């Protein structure tokens, strides 16, 4: 397993779920603190050039674990389940850019809150809209060797695909090799009856993991049972990225350091 940390550029929304901000300084610090890679939370693929990112990674001996897309929804209001044609094209364009970036760095692009809210609409309509965009994006990703990772997110943030079993049901309908799952143990602690059992039950799609504690602070700072999480990951022979995506509490550096110390000492 490799250990990553979620970062964003300085101008990310205050609500962006990342540990550190400022791409250049965060990549440097992530290496110093002992991480293997960084997950880039971007609202636009143009936030960093391929060349600049390549240079920063090389200089700091770091990899990109994944590109995450939550800010495309939070900052730009774009979503896979939008009915408006122009906004759908905007989402598609943003994902093309993310996929181009991921084809050089990491090979993984996340779909979390950007799937959008049902918000009282017809659920079948939303699923049709989601599947249409998911397949378009996956067609493009396939040509670039990139995999999409769908993240179940808790009910207080989104009302569509909250737990791992719902995610597997949808992934079975998509049924493509480059469409997998990104479980986040913070959301699972709210939505899945048992974290370890859900990881084992849904193992065929588990491709990437987000880590935070029960109150979304650094892993180890709350009551979430990481022995259960890592015992399940061991049983399914999980060998991918575990990326820390916690709140920068009490401050970004302390959170990033506490998380890596806890995880390296016990699990990774
Ligand atoms: C949101 O809560 C989250 O976990 C992100 O990874 C996806 O937007
Ligand atoms: Mn997450």
């Amino acid at each position: 397993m490799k250990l990553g940390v979620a970062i964003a550029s300085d101008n990310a929304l205050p609500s962006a779920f990342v540990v550190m901000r400022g791409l250049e300084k965060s990549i440097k610090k992530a290496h110093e603190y002992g991480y293997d890679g960084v997950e880039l939370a971007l609202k636009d693929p143009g936030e960093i050039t391929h060349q600049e990112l390549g240079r920063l990674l090389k200089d700091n001996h770091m990899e990109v674990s994944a590109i995450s897309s939550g800010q495309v929804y939070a900052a730009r209001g774009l979503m896979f389940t939008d009915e408006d044609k122009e906004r759908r094209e905007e989402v598609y364009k943003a994902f093309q850019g993310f996929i181009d970036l991921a084809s050089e760095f990491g090979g993984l692009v996340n779909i979390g809150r950007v799937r959008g809210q049902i918000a009282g609409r017809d659920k079948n309509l939303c699923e049709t809209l989601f599947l249409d965009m998911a397949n378009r994006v996956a067609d493009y990703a396939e040509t670039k060797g990139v995999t999409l990772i769908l993240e179940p997110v808790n009910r207080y943030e989104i009302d569509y695909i909250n737990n791992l079993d719902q995610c597997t049901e949808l992934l079975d309908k998509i049924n493509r090799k480059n469409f997998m799952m990104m479980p986040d143990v913070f959301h699972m602690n709210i939505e899945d009856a048992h974290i370890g059992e859900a990881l084992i039950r849904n193992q065929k799609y588990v491709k990437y993991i987000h880590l935070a504690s029960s109150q979304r602070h650094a892993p180890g700072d709350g009551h979430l049972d990481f022995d259960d999480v890592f015992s399940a990951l061991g049983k399914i022979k999980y060998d991918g990225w575990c990326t820390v995506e916690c709140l920068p509490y009490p401050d970004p550096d302390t959170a990033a350091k506490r998380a890596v110390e806890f995880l390296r000492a016990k699990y990774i």
Side-chain angles (χ1 to χ4, degrees):
M1 283 185 277
K2 288 192 216 173
L3 185 55
V5 61
I7 66 167
S9 63
D10 268 323
N11 68 358
L13 283 188
S15 63
F17 295 109
V18 292
V19 187
M20 297 187 287
R21 285 153 195 274
L23 295 178
E24 180 159 3
K25 62 175 189 276
S26 301
I27 291 173
K28 192 164 179 280
K29 282 182 179 177
H31 172 65
E32 278 167 22
Y33 297 162
Y35 289 93
D36 303 304
V38 286
E39 177 183 307
L40 304 180
L42 301 177
K43 54 173 160 246
D44 188 280
E47 277 180 78
I48 187 154
T49 64
H50 291 218
Q51 198 184 16
E52 175 67 354
L53 181 57
R55 183 188 66 78
L56 291 174
L57 295 169
K58 190 162 174 267
D59 287 354
N60 295 289
H61 316 284
M62 293 294 279
E63 291 176 55
V64 167
S65 59
I67 311 288
S68 66
S69 58
Q71 287 189 80
V72 173
Y73 171 74
R76 298 168 64 187
L78 297 175
M79 49 190 209
F80 276 40
T81 53
D82 207 316
E83 289 158 61
D84 182 272
K85 247 185 152 173
E86 273 175 33
R87 281 200 299 271
R88 292 182 73 72
E89 286 317 300
E90 250 190 276
V91 185
Y92 181 67
K93 256 183 83 183
F95 269 75
Q96 275 187 314
F98 291 150
I99 289 163
D100 289 342
L101 199 57
S103 72
E104 255 186 81
F105 306 105
L108 297 171
V109 176
N110 133 287
I111 300 167
R113 291 168 295 164
V114 74
R115 59 181 161 280
Q117 299 274 20
I118 297 178
R121 294 183 292 160
D122 179 61
K123 191 167 177 244
N124 290 328
L125 167 72
C126 291
E127 187 172 290
T128 305
L129 291 163
F130 178 83
L131 291 175
D132 170 70
M133 184 62 73
N135 279 307
R136 277 186 72 193
V137 166
D139 283 342
Y140 185 72
E142 213 171 272
T143 67
K144 302 274 175 171
V146 169
T147 296
L148 285 317
I149 39 180
L150 181 59
E151 180 178 15
V153 169
N154 80 75
R155 70 190 71 181
Y156 305 108
E157 293 179 42
I158 213 82
D159 64 1
Y160 184 40
I161 314 299
N162 304 119
N163 65 42
L164 268 56
D165 294 336
Q166 292 165 348
C167 193
T168 284
E169 209 182 309
L170 190 58
L171 290 170
D172 281 343
K173 288 183 190 165
I174 295 174
N175 190 26
R176 301 181 68 128
K177 282 203 179 68
N178 71 333
F179 227 108
M180 302 292 278
M181 191 191 298
M182 173 202 246
D184 178 327
V185 299
F186 168 75
H187 301 304
M188 290 187 77
N189 185 53
I190 298 169
E191 298 291 350
D192 292 84
H194 188 282
I195 295 180
E197 287 171 14
L199 287 168
I200 291 169
R201 197 167 55 245
N202 296 282
Q203 61 180 282
K204 68 174 172 175
Y205 287 124
V206 174
K207 181 78 180 166
Y208 189 99
I209 308 280
H210 267 166
L211 298 176
S213 199
S214 46
Q215 77 285 51
R216 220 169 196 175
H217 290 182
D221 279 5
H223 60 74
L224 200 142
D225 183 358
F226 283 92
D227 285 346
D228 172 46
V229 172
F230 283 95
S231 144
L233 293 179
K235 283 185 189 143
I236 66 172
K237 300 189 169 37
Y238 179 75
D239 196 27
W241 284 95
C242 289
T243 290
V244 175
E245 186 198 51
C246 67
L247 296 173
Y249 180 86
D251 59 74
D253 298 291
T254 309
K257 283 192 229 168
R258 246 186 223 172
V260 78
E261 274 162 27
F262 172 76
L263 293 164
R264 289 284 190 216
K266 289 194 79 175
Y267 307 109
I268 299 179

